[in-house]
Amino acid sequence: MKTRHNKTKVQHSIPGRIRLKISILKNNHLLSSSLEKNLETLEGVNHTRINKKCSCVIINYNDHVLSPELLTRTIHDLLGINYKKNCPVNNKEKGCCPEVRNALRSFSFISAVGGAVLISESLLGLTIAQTLLSPLGFITVIAAAPLVKEAFKKIKDRKFGLEGILAGGIIAAVVAGEAMTAFEILWINAGAELLTAWITERSRRAISGILDKTSHHTFVLKDEVEVEVEINQLQKGDVVVLHTGEKICIDGLIVDGQGLINEAPITGRADFIHKKTEDKVFAGTFVREGVIYVKAEEVGDSTYLARILHKVEDSLENKTDIELVADKLSVRLVKIGLGATIGTLLLTASPWRAFTVLLVMACPCATVLSASTPISAAINTAARHNILIKGGRYLEEVGHCEIACFDKTGTLTGNEPSLEHIYAIKGTSEDEILNYALSVETHNHHPLAQAIKSAAQKRNISPLTHTVCEYFLGKGMRAELPSAVGASTEILVGNKKLTEQFDVRIGKLSSHVSTLKRKGLTVIYVVKDREPVGIMAFANTIRPEAAAALKSLRANGIEKTVLVTGDEPATAEHLAKVLHIPEIHASAMPEEKATLVRTLQDKNKKVLMVGDGINDALALAQADVGIAMGTGGAEVAVEAADITLVNDDLNGLTFVHKLSQDTVKIAYQNFWLATGSNIVGVIMGATGVLTPVMAGFLHIAHTMGVIANSSRLLAHSPKPLMIEAGKTNELS
């Protein structure tokens, strides 16, 4: 009878809804009914539905009360499934995590004992007893106890895994009076565990390094007094006071004050966002200007950045398809090895040769590491280049995708504006309008101000001196320019809120403004002595690397690119023509984007979706692999995505696509290396060429070969795209 493994897999998760696949629920009516009843009694769960045929659980819940991690852990507890908690790396000063420390301790102990025995026998000429009742035999049994215990536990659950094979080989070696040979098996196994733990922790540390954006101290308002406290002492409900230049350390709502917030550390966006009372802010962003009072809603490990880190950490435990192939192959090799051992014993009547064959095949460490080491190394490499991959499965799949769907704004077009249009009323020239605006915005660092300076530089326009300069948060600027007659001229440059504040009537410009806004342009007004004299319109530009990135994807296996956007058809068609995108879906609503992805998948094609906004979240979740631009461009988009490009650069997309293909290629190279060396070892052992000690060294050699081959991925870095000179505007 085929046993069923107790595996839980998150198939889909967005705030308020999660879909889990739990293999033991398949056609199990009693267990499904029990789980459903228990979940619906859980506070925060709104509705639960279980599909017993496909062993899936769909839970609708209140995301202010429950988290996906808590729900998964609760289900594990209810079903009795062993839940493995990942090693946290929140405090880097504590050194390596317990998993690495334990693996290092075990490896060091086994190495010390084995080294002492080798030195005693080889250099000192002493003979060390290796029988079961000898001191070395006793130490071997003690060292092997955890492995034997795990093997018996698996056998009790009617599972036959590698632990049983390794434990069997160790017991056989000790009983045969070859305790040192058993120590070789233990040493190789301990080394493999240490390597896996170390690579995994390196990946976690690289990922946490991206997301470690918060400070260590902040100020909390208590009895109308600002009190300095440690970040880890903050609680929900605390009112945190944040001044200009300070990092935001909590997720919460602004209850007083206003400010310009720099969200670039987590969104990659250059413009500063004006935030006021009732607006939400996130940990990891900066207060560029102003003072805000924020009521904490999420602190510590519950903040948005921390949740992203935990999701990625959890995903490091998920097995990819190629890792499952490695596991199955290793088990098959062990079974073949047992057959080869028995066959060698029958054909040669030599227990020594049979034992050598057993040692060669009983420890398939290299085969197990063939897929896990390149995937861990690739995730680590991606993290070092500011790319978050939420699991090896997505790393593997992104290189196999055949169709790539792209959002437009913020994905193929950038976020740095450029001055595209100047309209001047009769009697005023465009250069005068630009000169006024430049004179007012000279000392401003806002992205629109930078676009004005850039346009003025191209026209060789220099700023005029000003005597007074005022900045109005979220509205614009006012300056007074000296005139020839001794008086001063007042210039206003800003949005409609600024004109309303100074009672400026802009009716004569309304038709021009409406036309420009319909094209998706950002409009600001230029006012002289309370009379409007012109307007300036700004547009985002097509990312300079966009064309090269799409060309690279097509060259590396993407069969078709699709533009799917909520913008007007005319804008979408212009962009698609410039970037040579053959298929366009414009004016698409969020659910229509997801439907399009599903339709493409129905053609037995793997679909990659790239986006950055809330309206992309459904499509990102539906796609085989969803890639979000910037960690926080829209929180729900990043939550739904499988891969996040923190640097907000399409160069990262081509890098992770090529990295995926190289990872799979190296994994298969490792398969051949590990399997081939095992076959050679069996032949040499059966013919008497290989001794048990040499069999141990063979394990070491091909395991190190696999590790060395996988480590090549650590040196991967993005190749710069061939970007054509010049600028292409989003709109014609």
Side-chain angles (χ1 to χ4, degrees):
M1 180 178 177
K2 188 177 180 179
T3 58
R4 194 174 292 158
H5 298 284
N6 296 350
K7 290 183 179 178
T8 303
K9 177 181 172 186
V10 178
Q11 289 193 314
H12 174 58
S13 177
I14 59 174
R17 187 178 186 275
I18 186 170
R19 179 187 179 92
L20 299 161
K21 186 175 181 65
I22 307 173
S23 56
I24 61 173
L25 294 181
K26 191 165 185 178
N27 296 325
N28 192 329
H29 299 279
L30 182 62
L31 188 59
S32 299
S33 177
S34 173
L35 178 63
E36 190 170 8
K37 288 179 181 178
N38 280 293
L39 283 175
E40 290 186 346
T41 61
L42 190 65
E43 183 181 0
V45 172
N46 301 325
H47 178 67
T48 303
R49 181 168 63 87
I50 297 180
N51 187 332
K52 293 179 282 294
K53 289 185 178 180
C54 62
S55 61
C56 286
V57 180
I58 300 96
I59 305 171
N60 294 313
Y61 62 94
N62 185 341
D63 59 347
H64 295 294
V65 179
L66 295 171
S67 67
E69 292 80 8
L70 180 58
L71 278 171
T72 306
R73 196 178 302 118
T74 301
I75 290 173
H76 287 170
D77 293 339
L78 290 172
L79 298 178
I81 298 175
N82 182 36
Y83 181 80
K84 183 175 182 180
K85 178 66 177 175
N86 284 323
C87 168
V89 288
N90 295 333
N91 190 349
K92 297 180 182 179
E93 296 177 359
K94 292 182 179 179
C96 60
C97 70
E99 287 182 5
V100 176
R101 287 200 299 269
N102 293 338
L104 180 61
R105 192 180 298 119
S106 175
F107 181 73
S108 300
F109 171 74
I110 294 172
S111 298
V113 174
V117 173
L118 286 174
I119 291 172
S120 299
E121 290 187 338
S122 302
L123 299 181
L124 302 179
L126 301 177
T127 301
I128 306 297
Q130 299 187 29
T131 62
L132 178 61
L133 300 179
S134 67
L136 181 59
F138 180 74
I139 293 173
T140 305
V141 171
I142 296 298
L147 190 62
V148 174
K149 182 180 177 182
E150 184 66 23
F152 275 114
K153 184 179 178 181
K154 290 286 182 72
I155 292 171
K156 188 178 179 181
D157 293 336
R158 297 182 180 180
K159 295 179 180 177
F160 185 73
L162 295 177
E163 295 86 357
I165 303 298
L166 297 175
I170 291 168
I171 293 171
V174 174
V175 171
E178 293 288 341
M180 194 57 194
T181 303
F183 242 82
E184 288 180 9
I185 298 176
L186 284 170
W187 185 80
I188 294 165
N189 184 63
E193 289 184 352
L194 174 61
L195 176 71
T196 302
W198 176 73
I199 290 178
T200 301
E201 189 194 10
R202 277 196 62 180
S203 299
R204 289 173 180 151
R205 284 185 179 275
I207 293 162
S208 65
I210 296 174
L211 302 176
D212 187 17
K213 301 292 184 183
T214 56
S215 55
H216 299 289
H217 298 83
T218 192
F219 291 90
V220 173
L221 192 65
K222 293 184 178 180
D223 299 325
E224 304 302 321
V225 178
E226 294 183 22
V227 180
E228 187 175 10
V229 299
E230 292 274 354
I231 296 297
N232 55 17
Q233 294 177 353
L234 291 174
Q235 298 178 354
K236 289 185 179 181
D238 285 345
V239 176
V240 179
V241 186
L242 297 154
H243 303 79
T244 298
E246 292 182 346
K247 291 180 183 179
I248 299 174
C249 51
I250 42 92
D251 294 350
L253 285 178
I254 299 176
V255 294
D256 193 13
Q258 58 179 329
L260 283 181
I261 308 301
N262 178 8
E263 296 185 335
I266 62 170
T267 67
R269 294 181 175 178
D271 54 328
F272 305 139
I273 311 300
H274 178 221
K275 301 273 187 174
K276 55 187 184 304
T277 304
E278 297 301 320
D279 286 341
K280 192 166 186 176
V281 293
F282 296 96
T285 56
F286 289 83
V287 180
R288 181 65 178 81
E289 284 188 29
V291 179
I292 55 175
Y293 295 77
V294 182
K295 185 175 182 180
E297 293 183 335
E298 302 291 349
V299 299
D301 286 347
S302 299
T303 62
Y304 166 59
L305 283 179
R307 293 202 307 275
I308 292 293
L309 173 59
H310 293 322
K311 281 178 177 292
V312 180
E313 282 188 335
D314 290 341
S315 70
L316 291 173
E317 303 298 333
N318 294 339
K319 292 280 189 181
T320 67
D321 291 341
I322 200 166
E323 285 181 290
L324 294 175
V325 169
D327 287 346
K328 291 176 182 178
L329 179 60
S330 62
V331 172
R332 288 174 183 172
L333 284 174
V334 169
K335 292 178 180 179
I336 292 170
L338 290 176
T341 302
I342 296 171
T344 302
L345 182 61
L346 294 175
L347 292 173
T348 65
S350 172
W352 191 253
R353 293 186 184 184
F355 187 62
T356 302
V357 172
L358 175 66
L359 291 180
V360 170
M361 299 298 292
C363 189
C365 300
T367 307
V368 175
L369 294 173
S370 294
S372 61
T373 52
I375 286 171
S376 295
I379 290 177
N380 182 6
T381 299
R384 285 191 290 106
H385 291 96
N386 289 335
I387 300 170
L388 296 178
I389 303 175
K390 298 181 182 178
R393 181 166 70 87
Y394 308 116
L395 171 66
E396 182 183 350
E397 285 191 358
V398 69
H400 293 153
C401 288
E402 299 144 303
I403 299 176
C405 297
F406 291 89
D407 174 48
K408 183 180 75 67
T409 306
T411 302
L412 293 175
T413 62
N415 295 300
E416 294 183 3
S418 62
L419 180 59
E420 296 304 314
H421 180 74
I422 300 176
Y423 173 77
I425 64 171
K426 191 174 181 180
T428 308
S429 68
E430 289 187 4
D431 283 357
E432 282 183 86
I433 298 297
L434 186 55
N435 197 2
Y436 288 144
L438 174 65
S439 303
V440 174
E441 301 280 0
T442 297
H443 304 297
N444 191 0
H445 298 288
H446 192 280
L448 293 182
Q450 299 301 320
I452 291 172
K453 295 173 191 176
S454 177
Q457 187 177 10
K458 292 176 182 177
R459 298 193 186 196
N460 295 319
I461 296 175
S462 301
L464 304 172
T465 57
H466 54 252
T467 56
V468 176
C469 187
E470 292 181 276
Y471 178 73
F472 299 92
L473 194 64
K475 298 178 182 178
M477 295 190 71
R478 171 187 174 273
E480 292 182 10
L481 310 181
S483 63
V485 295
S488 60
T489 301
E490 181 190 59
I491 303 295
L492 301 175
V493 179
N495 57 24
K496 190 176 181 180
K497 291 180 181 178
L498 185 69
T499 63
E500 291 173 347
Q501 180 175 334
F502 286 89
D503 296 323
V504 177
R505 295 184 178 181
I506 56 173
K508 65 177 85 173
L509 298 174
S510 296
S511 60
H512 297 284
V513 171
S514 298
T515 301
L516 293 170
K517 285 189 173 182
R518 278 197 299 270
K519 294 180 179 180
L521 300 177
T522 300
V523 176
I524 64 172
Y525 301 87
V526 179
V527 179
K528 178 181 179 181
D529 291 331
R530 305 295 170 95
E531 288 291 329
V533 292
I535 54 178
M536 295 186 293
F538 300 82
N540 290 329
T541 58
I542 297 174
R543 291 180 183 271
E545 76 277 11
L550 293 179
K551 183 178 180 180
S552 175
L553 290 174
R554 295 186 194 105
N556 284 304
I558 294 294
E559 298 174 2
K560 182 170 71 172
T561 52
V562 180
L563 177 63
V564 50
T565 175
D567 283 354
E568 295 295 323
T571 305
E573 287 171 7
H574 171 71
L575 180 68
K577 183 178 180 180
V578 171
L579 297 179
H580 306 291
I581 299 176
E583 187 172 332
I584 308 167
H585 296 268
S587 302
M589 299 297 289
E591 60 274 14
E592 292 173 336
K593 290 186 177 184
T595 301
L596 169 66
V597 171
R598 193 180 303 113
T599 301
L600 295 171
Q601 289 172 323
D602 289 340
K603 299 176 182 178
N604 293 322
K605 299 289 186 180
K606 284 187 176 293
V607 179
L608 167 69
M609 175 68 197
V610 188
D612 76 323
I614 293 174
N615 60 341
D616 300 318
L618 290 175
L620 289 169
Q622 176 64 43
D624 294 282
V625 179
I627 298 183
M629 302 289 291
T631 57
E635 180 182 359
V636 67
V638 178
E639 295 275 2
D642 308 309
I643 299 173
T644 302
L645 308 179
V646 178
N647 282 351
D648 204 31
D649 184 353
L650 287 174
N651 197 19
L653 173 61
T654 60
F655 173 61
V656 77
H657 186 261
K658 187 67 169 61
L659 181 66
S660 167
Q661 296 174 338
D662 289 345
T663 302
V664 173
K665 186 186 302 181
I666 285 179
Y668 279 108
Q669 289 173 359
N670 289 343
F671 285 157
W672 283 108
L673 177 63
T675 306
S677 58
N678 274 339
I679 293 172
V680 171
V682 167
I683 295 172
M684 293 175 67
T687 56
V689 176
L690 201 67
T691 66
V693 173
M694 292 172 64
F697 282 111
L698 174 65
H699 278 307
I700 297 170
H702 74 178
T703 300
M704 295 307 295
V706 165
I707 294 168
N709 193 39
S710 299
S711 66
R712 292 191 294 134
L713 290 166
L714 295 173
H716 273 43
S717 60
K719 293 181 180 179
L721 296 169
M722 298 297 293
I723 299 174
E724 296 179 3
K727 180 187 71 175
T728 306
N729 293 332
E730 178 181 344
L731 296 174
S732 57

